[in-house]
Amino acid sequence: MEFSRIFMMSCSVLLLCFSLAYGQAASPPAPAAMSPSPTPAPAPAPEYVNLTYLLSVAGPFHTFLDYLESTKVMDTFQNQANNTEQGITIFVPKDGAFKALKKPSLSNLSDDQLKSLILFHAIPRFYTLADFNDLSAKGPISTFAGGGYTLNFTDNSGTVHLNSGWSRTKVSSAVHSTHPVAIYQIDKVLLPEAIFGTDIPPMPAPAPAPDISPSADAPSADSKGTASSSKSSSSTSASHRIMNFGIWSQLVLALVGGWLLFL
């Protein structure tokens, strides 16, 4: 009886151990711990474009730069260049263009008019030189100064010409042309009709070609011909006189000889 009890307990222990071993073998392994995925690096911030620096190292554009600062237009241009996707295109006259400006004078403009004139020199969009070929077919293009301040463009075999009504000029060089900023040098100050009116003075006529006339002392072809003909006629008349003199001398000699024979 005691032996049977021990046998039953031993079998029960063996079954329990077997069950535990089988359960550990059949259970799937625990999943490996997932490592966190790396956070993507932020996109680099666009490089800040300093318009003051670009205009200071080129040109000289000191006069235009002074107007940008005094009218606070530089803040508007800087914001457009660095905080918009459209970018900006600026047309910059050299210092000599302002010195050559006699009439009309900028000194008679009000502060608002002067600010509008400086805003008139920029377009709120980036344009390469190749883009102006398409702009020439679109008619007047609005500028930063507003709706009434427009420019007309003409592309003549790769040379970009601008017409503001009062000013007709061309792009003489590209100072900077990398998105989002394009800066082009022009030969004249852009004068808008919205400020100076539509009574535009006529364009000066081109200077006439110099008249190269022969000097008074130099004989002309006609005078040379007349002199040569007069010389030939005088020589002909002299030869005729010599011939006539020879004939008359022979007649006189013949008469004198005949008279001597009859003596």
Side-chain angles (χ1 to χ4, degrees), residues 158-240:
T159 302
V160 179
H161 295 263
L162 297 81
N163 185 357
S164 70
W166 280 79
S167 305
R168 296 181 182 180
T169 184
K170 64 180 180 180
V171 173
S172 54
S173 67
V175 179
H176 183 86
S177 185
T178 303
H179 191 273
V181 175
I183 300 176
Y184 301 113
Q185 175 181 303
I186 56 178
D187 299 329
K188 295 181 180 179
V189 179
L190 298 176
L191 304 177
E193 293 183 9
I195 293 177
F196 299 100
T198 57
D199 188 14
I200 303 171
M203 297 292 293
D211 184 14
I212 304 176
S213 58
S215 62
D217 296 335
S220 62
D222 294 338
S223 62
K224 287 182 179 180
T226 305
S228 61
S229 61
S230 62
K231 285 183 179 180
S232 61
S233 61
S234 62
S235 62
T236 303
S237 61
S239 63
H240 286 171

Side-chain angles (χ1 to χ4, degrees), residues 60-123:
F61 303 126
H62 302 304
T63 304
F64 187 75
L65 186 57
D66 290 342
Y67 280 126
L68 286 174
E69 298 290 351
S70 62
T71 58
K72 307 300 182 183
V73 173
M74 178 63 80
D75 297 337
T76 302
F77 288 178
Q78 283 285 180
N79 180 70
Q80 181 72 20
N82 293 287
N83 299 322
T84 66
E85 296 181 358
Q86 290 80 13
I88 188 172
T89 300
I90 308 174
F91 303 100
V92 187
K94 294 182 66 175
D95 289 348
F98 287 94
K99 294 178 181 178
L101 189 62
K102 304 300 182 183
K103 290 184 179 180
S105 175
L106 303 186
S107 60
N108 298 326
L109 300 181
S110 65
D111 292 343
D112 291 339
Q113 288 176 329
L114 184 59
K115 182 176 181 179
S116 297
L117 184 139
I118 300 302
L119 289 169
F120 186 55
H121 285 73
I123 302 174

